[in-house]
Amino acid sequence: MNTADRNVTAGRSERYFNQTVGFLTRHGISLFGTRILAVRGRTSGEWRTNPINLLTHEGARYLVAARGNTQWVRNIRVSGEAELRLGRSTEAITVTELPDEEKLPVVSAYFKRWGWEVARFFEDLPKKPSDDQLAKVLPGVPVFRIDS
């Protein structure tokens, strides 16, 4: 199998995985803390949803965007608010984006919990990166603390 075929297969696998996780979460089954994040589109105002891994670390909750500056990140930066959904339960939240110098312990905890899933988004990181390795990628990893 050539590289292009592997990339297509990996893309399909990722899409099916996300669809399955999203389906389960929408029906009230959380896998390792998953939620549906609903954020209003910054121009349309319509709700946009994505399955996310909700991290609880040292008594606070965080949203970590392992894929970088995605559409949900751009939308939540504009609005500062969103909803976390699990089944029929909906929680309105507000968020604060962390500066790079505060991200390391949160991103480290995130990788310890979900490195097996998200390491593939970082070509230069192993599944269990050191703090020094993580520090190099922090500028490209948006992190939001949930305030309410």
Side-chain angles (χ1 to χ4, degrees):
M1 181 180 291
N2 65 34
T3 302
D5 291 339
R6 271 194 299 271
N7 289 339
V8 168
T9 301
R12 284 187 192 134
S13 296
E14 183 177 323
R15 185 173 59 245
Y16 294 134
F17 178 78
N18 285 340
Q19 288 173 346
T20 301
V21 169
F23 175 83
L24 292 171
T25 304
R26 279 189 294 281
H27 289 85
I29 301 169
S30 175
L31 301 174
F32 305 108
T34 57
R35 297 290 187 279
I36 298 297
L37 175 69
V39 183
R40 290 206 181 263
R42 59 194 177 279
T43 54
S44 70
E46 294 181 23
W47 287 106
R48 306 291 184 203
T49 60
N50 294 87
I52 54 99
N53 294 319
L54 179 63
L55 175 68
T56 301
H57 177 67
E58 295 185 355
R61 296 182 306 159
Y62 298 91
L63 302 174
V64 177
R67 294 180 183 173
N69 291 304
T70 60
Q71 293 299 321
W72 76 257
V73 169
R74 293 179 185 110
N75 290 335
I76 207 166
R77 280 180 176 149
V78 170
S79 69
E81 53 189 30
E83 291 181 354
L84 292 175
R85 300 174 181 173
L86 178 60
R88 294 181 185 184
S89 174
T90 299
E91 175 189 2
I93 61 169
T94 58
V95 298
T96 301
E97 188 167 6
L98 298 184
D100 290 344
E101 58 272 8
E102 294 178 22
K103 293 179 185 177
L104 184 58
V106 176
V107 175
S108 179
Y110 188 84
F111 265 83
K112 284 178 182 151
R113 176 94 188 222
W114 289 291
W116 58 273
E117 179 186 349
V118 300
R120 68 180 183 263
F121 304 129
F122 300 91
E123 291 181 16
D124 299 330
L125 286 181
K127 289 183 182 178
K128 295 182 180 182
S130 69
D131 284 351
D132 289 339
Q133 290 170 316
L134 281 177
K136 293 176 184 175
V137 301
L138 290 179
V141 182
V143 177
F144 300 87
R145 182 184 61 246
I146 297 173
D147 297 322
S148 62

